[in-house]
Amino acid sequence: MLQPICPVESRFGDAHNQAEFPLRALQFKRGLLHEFRKGNSSKEQVRLHDLVQQLPKAIIIGVRKGGTRALLEMLNLHPAVVKASQEIHFFDNDENYAKGIEWYRKKMPFSYPQQITIEKSPAYFITEEVPERIYKMNSSIKLLIIVREPTTRAISDYTQVLEGKERKNKTYYKFEKLAIDPNTCEVNTKYKAVRTSIYTKHLERWLKYFPIEQFHIVDGDRLITEPLPELQLVEKFLNLPPRISQYNLYFNATRGFYCLRFNIIFNKCLAGSKGRIHPEVDPSVITKLRKFFHPFNQKFYQITGRTLNWP
Ligand code: A3P
């Protein structure tokens, strides 16, 4: 039952050559490395000598619930890309940051020198200290930001927190109560899920360190419905030869999302925690939020040069 809330007015140098990259699915590499360490090296495994842990050449810095996992996994389909599986939280977590850059490098997956490593930690986008810290590591790094329509993203963010509470048998506020200040009936900008969706505010902090050319905006809504063209734009931005094809992406009607096909044997969908059903939200609250985000969105389009068709 919906409660009435408030009255509302209703470049990495030259493009790589595919031949340089192993055709084998990258997932097998860890296993091969293990075999190699055990001394079961074959002619093919000798190449493992070349494996190194490299600092990332590109980072998916956010936005939380924008589709960061899907983007990372899909980019990992590219033979020249190797993903860091876990969110490393090096730049946003003071304790981790204090461990130094070698600690960070050692968290990276093994890759061949001609490949690039990519990690994703969506907390980077909204954490004050991160742009300066990344700049100090590599001032020419490429930065990927995947965004979704801000109100949908805020509800997705809320849904994740709600699920965590429910898992612990805790009750939680309704989205409407958190998103709208009951005293003023205005959008509650103290609510983190709302603040995170004001993309332009966060981006402006990053622009104090990096020129806009070092960012690429991924349309997270389009990545859901039509992933290939979004991925092709990223390949271009990263100066990678186009290698991800429609073969690598198939729609899984049961999941309601695209899943990944690495080769004839290996395919996978994202975990069930990706693509949750959102709770129903009072339409008047949605309208209010969309109106609130509108001017920030316009500014975001203007700064990034990418216009998204958000209401
Ligand atoms: P919802 O759970 O709100 O649907 P993140 O990885 O940044 O947490 O983003 C999660 C979102 O990725 C999900 O939000 C989902 O909509 C979106 N997503 C995009 N492509 C997806 C895919 N192929 N499979 C599952 N989720 C995908």
Side-chain angles (χ1 to χ4, degrees):
M1 178 67 183
L2 293 175
Q3 308 246 318
I5 299 297
C6 287
V8 279
E9 301 142 46
S10 307
R11 264 111 290 241
F12 312 115
D14 296 338
H16 301 281
N17 181 329
Q18 188 186 26
E20 292 174 38
F21 305 115
L23 293 170
R24 182 181 352 100
L26 298 166
Q27 277 62 24
F28 298 136
K29 278 199 301 207
R30 274 180 191 277
L32 280 172
L33 189 64
H34 183 65
E35 288 302 305
F36 177 69
R37 282 184 177 146
K38 283 197 304 190
N40 301 333
S41 57
S42 68
K43 198 179 163 200
E44 184 188 36
Q45 286 159 359
V46 170
R47 285 201 59 203
L48 293 171
H49 277 304
D50 301 337
L51 286 170
V52 280
Q53 284 169 296
Q54 312 184 69
L55 288 172
K57 291 259 166 52
I59 304 182
I60 300 169
I61 56 172
V63 178
R64 177 182 151 92
K65 306 321 293 174
T68 53
R69 174 56 61 186
L71 178 61
L72 183 73
E73 298 293 334
M74 289 175 180
L75 288 177
N76 193 51
L77 289 162
H78 196 291
V81 173
V82 188
K83 63 162 186 179
S85 296
Q86 306 295 321
E87 289 183 11
I88 300 176
H89 290 280
F90 177 61
F91 297 104
D92 63 305
N93 179 312
D94 290 343
E95 218 173 280
N96 288 342
Y97 191 65
K99 291 174 186 161
I101 204 80
E102 267 309 289
W103 178 88
Y104 183 52
R105 201 177 58 76
K106 293 243 165 67
K107 291 278 170 200
M108 293 298 153
F110 286 93
S111 61
Y112 291 102
Q114 63 273 46
Q115 293 179 309
I116 61 164
T117 307
I118 298 189
E119 79 126 326
K120 76 116 177 164
S121 293
Y124 291 168
F125 186 58
I126 58 161
T127 308
E128 194 87 27
E129 298 82 3
V130 173
E132 185 180 359
R133 287 175 177 179
I134 294 187
Y135 181 85
K136 280 183 181 159
M137 174 186 74
N138 179 359
S139 62
S140 58
I141 195 156
K142 304 223 172 188
L143 301 163
L144 294 162
I145 307 175
I146 179 162
V147 287
R148 262 163 105 190
E149 189 277 309
T151 301
T152 310
R153 195 220 64 82
I155 296 170
S156 173
D157 198 330
Y158 166 83
T159 308
Q160 173 159 318
V161 177
L162 176 69
E163 195 185 282
K165 301 273 179 196
E166 283 173 347
R167 227 182 298 121
K168 293 178 195 155
N169 278 324
K170 287 186 177 166
T171 54
Y172 194 45
Y173 303 106
K174 291 193 71 167
F175 176 78
E176 291 86 339
K177 196 147 192 220
L178 295 165
I180 306 292
D181 181 332
N183 299 317
T184 63
C185 289
E186 295 300 328
V187 169
N188 179 12
T189 51
K190 292 199 181 99
Y191 178 39
K192 197 171 170 191
V194 166
R195 279 211 319 272
T196 301
S197 284
I198 309 176
Y199 305 136
T200 185
K201 289 272 173 222
H202 301 287
L203 182 60
E204 279 164 23
R205 281 187 300 100
W206 284 83
L207 289 171
K208 290 184 190 145
Y209 292 90
F210 298 98
I212 195 67
E213 294 72 31
Q214 268 170 254
F215 296 86
H216 176 75
I217 306 301
V218 178
D219 179 348
D221 296 305
R222 191 166 174 233
L223 193 83
I224 295 174
T225 56
E226 223 186 326
L228 186 59
E230 278 305 314
L231 295 168
Q232 288 171 333
L233 291 174
V234 180
E235 287 180 324
K236 229 182 200 162
F237 173 70
L238 297 177
N239 285 333
L240 295 170
R243 289 288 177 269
I244 303 172
S245 72
Q246 201 57 64
Y247 171 82
N248 299 121
L249 301 155
Y250 66 97
F251 188 75
N252 181 314
T254 317
R255 280 300 315 274
F257 284 97
Y258 276 88
C259 295
L260 289 67
R261 183 185 289 124
F262 285 81
N263 52 42
I264 197 164
I265 306 162
F266 184 66
N267 54 46
K268 70 167 187 180
C269 296
L270 263 58
S273 59
K274 303 294 173 185
R276 295 184 177 100
I277 295 167
H278 296 179
E280 205 180 327
V281 173
D282 184 333
S284 68
V285 170
I286 293 190
T287 306
K288 197 166 226 176
L289 282 165
R290 290 196 165 145
K291 199 167 167 207
F292 168 82
F293 286 125
H294 187 77
F296 297 113
N297 296 343
Q298 296 302 311
K299 192 139 188 237
F300 184 72
Y301 303 156
Q302 191 201 329
I303 295 175
T304 60
R306 180 143 203 203
T307 302
L308 298 155
N309 296 318
W310 296 335

